[in-house]
Amino acid sequence: MTQKVALVTGVTGQDGSYLAELLLEKGYKVYGMVRRSSVEKFERINHLVDKIELVQGDLLDQFSLISILREIRPQEVYNLAAQSFVPTSWRQPVLTSEFTAIGVTKLLESIRVVDPEIRFYQASSSEMFGKVRETPQNELTPFYPRSPYGVAKVYGHYITVNYRESYGLFAVSGILFNHESPRRGLEFVTRKVTHTAAKIKLGLATELRLGNLDAKRDWGFAADYVRAMWQMLQQPEADDYVIATGKTRTVRELVEVAFEKVGLDWQKYVKVDQKFIRPAEVDLLVGDASKAKRCLNWEPRVSFEEMIGMMVENDLKELQRRS
């Protein structure tokens, strides 16, 4: 039996690094697409660089995508690359739409041209639901995005559906709700909270400034969610799935759990700062993953408390190691 080949865009990100690990465990030859830059940020995949192959390419350069696909001949392509930080999408809306929307089209078109048998995974997002029409949200819930990022993700989602229906590609979208880990970027609220709680515990900071403490999210563990990505591409038919825990937590609860892990009273350190309030807030996101449970036999394994505990412990270790 020949070894399966997978291409992962966004391999240096949180999800990309966990997905690469999973694919390696399953015996794949893994290629990770990276953009050429003057500063290489490979910290999330440092432990994998001798196990995977890195190839240079760019979602905005279709010729590079075609060239990569022709060279490595993957059976599976996972598109995790995007400008994925919601606040940045207001400051850089055009760049966000180019990478997060048009980039998906260029990759799908490249697959259609090179090898329409390639199975394609698109990373859709719960931010597409935005101002939610119903709770919880499932695969049939109408989208109402509330940020340039959410709008771009809706385009990426529907162009994937369009290529599946128009050209018969095995193209799926995973509508993933918030998923976190110790590898989450510091700009995201979960990691900002756990990292700052650890800094305060070690005497390296005195306060944590946040925006809307009442915003509610469905938070899961990233390694659980990449397992669902892989499972989607192993199905007999292509389809889209919501991946979520089905449980909602407020930012306030996130703060409480993180500060409890370091034995501190969060109310002494947390300040609400208006500059972190979004122009158009998304107040409540909670997913219904019953289709994924039924069709993929997928369920989350790591609890919210376990995940935040992992993140706090990792941040404490990292800060102590550096000091």
Side-chain angles (χ1 to χ4, degrees):
M1 185 176 172
T2 56
Q3 187 179 31
K4 268 193 171 181
V5 177
L7 173 66
V8 180
T9 74
V11 73
T12 60
Q14 169 189 257
D15 292 7
S17 63
Y18 281 115
L19 179 61
E21 286 178 352
L22 177 73
L23 293 171
L24 287 169
E25 284 171 18
K26 294 186 177 297
Y28 282 67
K29 170 90 171 162
V30 179
Y31 289 87
M33 191 177 88
V34 293
R35 295 172 67 208
R36 175 79 182 93
S37 69
S38 55
V39 180
E40 294 183 333
K41 296 184 177 178
F42 293 165
E43 60 265 22
R44 293 188 186 95
I45 57 166
N46 276 338
H47 62 300
L48 299 175
V49 288
D50 58 342
K51 299 174 184 172
I52 66 175
E53 297 276 344
L54 297 179
V55 290
Q56 284 191 3
D58 196 309
L59 285 180
L60 302 187
D61 180 359
Q62 190 162 355
F63 291 107
S64 73
L65 301 176
I66 289 172
S67 175
I68 289 169
L69 293 175
R70 282 182 174 155
E71 181 185 338
I72 72 173
R73 292 288 171 179
Q75 284 86 41
E76 298 174 3
V77 171
Y78 297 85
N79 184 37
L80 310 185
Q83 190 301 100
S84 61
F85 187 46
V86 175
T88 297
S89 75
W90 276 288
R91 293 194 294 273
Q92 296 180 298
V94 175
L95 180 75
T96 298
S97 63
E98 287 174 340
F99 274 114
T100 310
I102 303 302
V104 185
T105 315
K106 291 186 176 183
L107 188 47
L108 282 163
E109 184 64 9
S110 301
I111 287 170
R112 187 181 75 82
V113 168
V114 174
D115 180 5
E117 295 302 309
I118 291 171
R119 294 191 167 207
F120 174 78
Y121 172 85
Q122 166 61 14
S124 288
S125 167
S126 59
E127 287 287 332
M128 301 188 306
F129 295 119
K131 191 174 182 180
V132 298
R133 309 293 186 88
E134 63 184 15
T135 299
Q137 295 89 51
N138 62 33
E139 293 80 6
L140 300 177
T141 301
F143 299 137
Y144 192 150
R146 298 271 280 171
S147 67
Y149 170 76
V151 172
K153 278 292 186 184
V154 170
Y155 177 98
H157 179 85
Y158 276 129
I159 200 67
T160 302
V161 172
N162 186 257
Y163 268 68
R164 178 169 75 220
E165 294 178 352
S166 301
Y167 301 116
L169 295 190
F170 193 106
V172 307
S173 286
I175 306 172
L176 272 56
F177 280 66
N178 294 64
H179 46 287
E180 319 297 322
S181 75
R183 299 179 196 173
R184 192 49 135 165
L186 285 168
E187 69 272 23
F188 290 86
V189 68
T190 44
R191 184 76 195 291
K192 179 180 178 181
V193 168
T194 63
H195 190 255
T196 309
K199 285 178 79 173
I200 292 170
K201 177 66 176 178
L202 297 173
L204 302 171
T206 57
E207 66 176 19
L208 168 60
R209 291 185 171 269
L210 294 170
N212 181 11
L213 296 181
D214 296 315
K216 294 177 180 176
R217 292 291 183 275
D218 183 330
W219 276 300
F221 181 48
D224 282 341
Y225 285 41
V226 301
R227 183 165 35 87
M229 297 176 188
W230 176 78
Q231 286 174 291
M232 286 178 215
L233 290 195
Q234 313 314 310
Q235 300 308 301
E237 291 183 12
D239 207 348
D240 306 322
Y241 299 88
V242 162
I243 303 299
T245 69
K247 297 174 183 174
T248 184
R249 308 277 186 159
T250 62
V251 174
R252 184 178 282 101
E253 287 176 275
L254 160 65
V255 170
E256 286 171 356
V257 172
F259 275 78
E260 190 179 305
K261 295 289 181 187
V262 293
L264 296 175
D265 177 1
W266 70 272
Q267 295 182 73
K268 293 179 180 176
Y269 305 98
V270 176
K271 306 276 192 306
V272 173
D273 189 330
Q274 290 301 310
K275 80 176 183 182
F276 296 117
I277 303 289
R278 294 181 180 186
E281 185 58 83
V282 175
D283 295 316
L284 172 62
L285 291 173
V286 56
D288 173 7
S290 54
K291 180 179 172 183
K293 182 177 180 181
R294 185 176 68 251
C295 301
L296 306 178
N297 197 28
W298 179 87
E299 283 189 285
R301 295 171 181 168
V302 176
S303 73
F304 176 77
E305 288 79 10
E306 287 171 329
M307 176 183 72
I308 298 303
M310 266 189 253
M311 294 171 71
V312 171
E313 283 171 29
N314 186 73
D315 283 325
L316 282 169
K317 277 184 198 165
E318 281 297 302
L319 288 165
Q320 286 169 328
R321 186 177 61 81
R322 289 179 205 161
S323 60

